[in-house]
Amino acid sequence: MSSKTSEFFLGARAIMPHHLGVFPFGLVFGVIAMTNGFSVLEAILMSSIIFGGASQIVFVQLWAAGVPSFIVGSSVAIVNLRHLLYSASLKKYVENLPLRWRLVLAYLLTDQSYSVMVQRYRAKEISQFSHYYFLGSGITLWAGWQLATIVGVLGASFISTEWSLTFAVSLTFIAIVAPLLKTRSDLIACLVAGVLSIALQPLPWKLWLVVAGLGGIAAGWIASTINKKNRDLE
Amino acid sequence: MIWFVMIIAGMITFSTRFSMFNKFIAQKMPAWIEAPLHYVPIAVLTAIIIPEILIVDGSINFSIVENLRIAAAGIAILVALVTRNVVATIASGLICLWVFQWLL
């Protein structure tokens, strides 16, 4: 097997565990889209056009609640901010690839493929074909997401809320966030965002999401700045 | 209208992903953006997770006895911190929730 194909399949295999969270997530998205009055075509194509679980759920909920379009757009943008970080972090591995590769890999960049790629690049041997690993993991996740969306959309009336599938969505995010909590300022960012997300629930247009996100980022950053100053003084 | 907003949202999503992969602008991210950016996944994902766990049928429920998700999520968080394993985290959370629902 050439190392292009083997990298591709290793990537596909590495991302498999994430389907345990992604599949229920896609189902939930399909069901939520249908119960909020989206058409079959709108719901299914959204998974290709946006291809981001959290963004799609936020989009559907805000749109159905009659929130103004620019607030829908800003909320999706805030939810997406983390991709900027992923993009910056993987930049050095992809910057010498041809444009078509960079376009495709950017489209396939998700929380899951990022976490798989970071581990791949940390490995001792970096193959010159490791972008095939990225492609393999990305396409596999994409296919799983599309399949889950279709099953969710078509099976919306059969899928019971008693199965607690929305909880699987929270669990996928817990699996991503918990390993990121390493320093005191990480913990502060997490706590502030969590408290604000509950305290600000009365805000209109579900703005609590945007404000709690930005508040958590600011808190973590301020805490790290203060911490650094204290260390400099010692 | 829905298609227009959906395509805009898709473009926003794609442009954040492609942001640092392009060669036209931003060769290097300024430090004042990079430092706060570190907290983005933690803050944004936590802001999505917490209401999802604590809000039941539209109202906040802090009761560990009534809202079984709290205990199940607590266990999943511990499993995530200890094992750092995706499957173990999701499976432990779901199994705990189902067991609690069955018991109570």
Side-chain angles (χ1 to χ4, degrees), chain B residues 57-99:
Chain B
D57 299 325
S59 54
I60 301 166
N61 191 339
F62 287 112
S63 161
I64 198 160
V65 186
E66 286 167 25
N67 183 359
L68 302 173
R69 290 175 175 226
I70 298 176
I75 292 167
I77 290 169
L78 286 179
V79 171
L81 289 172
V82 174
T83 67
R84 295 177 179 254
N85 181 299
V86 180
V87 175
T89 305
I90 298 170
S92 66
L94 277 179
I95 291 169
C96 286
L97 185 67
W98 289 331
V99 169

Side-chain angles (χ1 to χ4, degrees), chain A residues 175-193:
Chain A
I176 292 170
V177 173
L180 296 176
L181 301 173
K182 285 176 189 147
T183 65
R184 197 191 301 166
S185 33
D186 292 340
L187 212 58
I188 291 173
C190 178
L191 288 174
V192 170

